[in-house]
Amino acid sequence: MHITECTWSEFQNLQMSEKVACLAREDGSPFHTLFSQQFNRTFLDQICKLATEIRTIAKSRTGMDFLQSLLSHKRAMLYFSQPSSRTFLSFLSACQILGIKTGEVRETATSSEFKGESHEDSIRTFSSYFDLIIMRTQEKGLAEHMAWMLSNSERPVPIINAGSGKDQHPTQALLDIYTLLRSFERRGGLRDRSVMFVGDLSRGRTVRSLSNLLLNYENIEQVFVAPEPLQISKDILDALDAKGVKWTASSDMYRFLPAVDAIYMTRIQDEWDAHKGDSACIDTSTYKIGIEQMRACKPDAILMHPLPRRDEIAVDVDHDPRAMYWRQMRNGMWMRVALIASTFDCAARIDAFYRENI
Ligand code: CP
């Protein structure tokens, strides 16, 4: 079944694996990018290779001119109704690198949603003017709904989910995997590793999406460290159990610090508190990394963070060669160029240019 062959109610009620099958294109690359479960190992290998080719091509003016010619006939809408720095700016830069012209709404008070227009009508409006919609929203499942709606309209333009509610951040997971792969590529690769997630795991969509994506790699143990009220939710652990992946949930970061290969810190996401100040009542003092904690880590461990951070990583850790979060952020731009290029079927042209010129 394809997404155009089901009602919204039917699509919404499918199992994730069935939704993924409904969204698949023949070559395995996504048209709409909605969930991290859409990315299989073949696609991940291809998109990471493409991101590396693009970052290499972009080093020269000739290469940059080539990239900017690829999609100069396209326009993209950046619809970010939730705050963002990195995701918004890296997608904007990615569009610029590919020659795509952009429009944006970053605050619904400035769009006709303020006058009561529905999400459906707003997105249909964007699809009338643009060839791609990149959207970040507060609401879980909205990108999915809008993708279904556009697929069943006269203007089925692709949607990229740039973060939806507490649930999914698939493009962050792509850049996180790319960062892990690059970090370990000269050290045996991303297999037989342990990744420790720390912080607000119950409301961290980046953790949920990356945990799913790690299922594509061999023997990756996942460790979830959080105070009990912020611990990872059962659906993620069920997904790990279904694949036979080893995991541990704990409130003791210090127990695992010396053993893990990658530490993925997250901030406390108090914007989701049911009542203002709820998070402040939770003791998070032992979920922070400073110079002393880095001393306890493996000499070749890496430290990641999707950012923004608050005080969970001390600023003086930034100079530690194991701190990857600034590189991770820049990797996001190259990965988003690769994803947009792949969405518009430019991968083969980029690969050919790379082989001929680099
Ligand atoms: N990592 C991330 O999504 O950052 P922004 O909220 O700044 O986009």
Side-chain angles (χ1 to χ4, degrees), residues 33-95:
T33 297
L34 306 174
F35 324 109
S36 60
Q37 289 90 337
Q38 282 176 269
F39 310 132
N40 60 27
R41 181 61 186 270
T42 306
F43 176 76
L44 290 169
D45 290 348
Q46 285 167 356
I47 200 86
C48 290
K49 177 172 171 274
L50 186 61
T52 298
E53 288 180 355
I54 288 166
R55 74 192 303 154
T56 311
I57 291 170
K59 287 184 197 299
S60 73
R61 177 149 193 175
T62 313
M64 195 54 107
D65 287 346
F66 161 73
L67 291 170
Q68 287 184 353
S69 72
L70 284 172
L71 292 170
S72 55
H73 57 306
K74 297 288 185 190
R75 297 179 301 281
M77 176 65 188
L78 292 120
Y79 172 59
F80 277 60
S81 59
Q82 233 193 349
S84 168
S85 295
R86 275 145 288 272
T87 313
F88 177 82
L89 290 171
S90 60
F91 266 120
L92 180 66
S93 301
C95 289

Side-chain angles (χ1 to χ4, degrees), residues 76-237:
M77 176 65 188
L78 292 120
Y79 172 59
F80 277 60
S81 59
Q82 233 193 349
S84 168
S85 295
R86 275 145 288 272
T87 313
F88 177 82
L89 290 171
S90 60
F91 266 120
L92 180 66
S93 301
C95 289
Q96 290 168 346
I97 288 167
L98 289 165
I100 300 175
K101 284 90 183 168
T102 57
E104 63 185 63
V105 165
R106 299 206 64 182
E107 172 56 71
T108 51
T110 65
S111 81
S112 282
E113 283 182 84
F114 187 72
K115 295 180 270 186
E117 185 164 62
S118 66
H119 289 311
E120 284 89 339
D121 286 0
S122 293
I123 298 290
R124 277 195 85 124
T125 303
F126 303 153
S127 76
S128 299
Y129 306 134
F130 296 94
D131 305 297
L132 167 68
I133 298 170
I134 301 163
M135 60 186 287
R136 166 171 287 196
T137 62
Q138 182 93 356
E139 296 88 348
K140 175 184 174 183
L142 184 62
E144 185 183 338
H145 189 188
M146 296 302 104
W148 174 86
M149 189 266 296
L150 288 184
S151 281
N152 288 283
S153 77
E154 298 78 44
R155 286 275 303 161
V157 308
I159 286 199
I160 296 179
N161 178 1
S164 54
K166 290 177 263 186
D167 188 41
Q168 284 273 355
H169 199 342
T171 65
Q172 176 75 41
L174 282 180
L175 74 94
D176 291 340
I177 280 291
Y178 186 50
T179 302
L180 284 159
L181 286 167
R182 284 179 70 79
S183 301
F184 294 121
E185 68 183 344
R186 292 194 185 88
R187 294 191 268 145
L190 184 55
R191 57 178 303 161
D192 307 325
R193 301 281 177 187
S194 50
V195 177
M196 175 170 73
F197 297 98
V198 182
D200 188 343
L201 310 185
S202 61
R203 304 177 290 191
R205 58 193 174 196
T206 68
V207 171
R208 295 174 57 79
S209 287
L210 179 56
S211 173
N212 269 312
L213 220 49
L214 286 168
L215 299 178
N216 289 285
Y217 296 85
E218 294 87 38
N219 194 25
I220 306 290
E221 181 182 352
Q222 299 190 28
V223 181
F224 301 98
V225 173
E228 204 277 327
L230 302 179
Q231 192 46 275
I232 195 78
S233 57
K234 186 173 175 303
D235 64 320
I236 293 291
L237 300 178

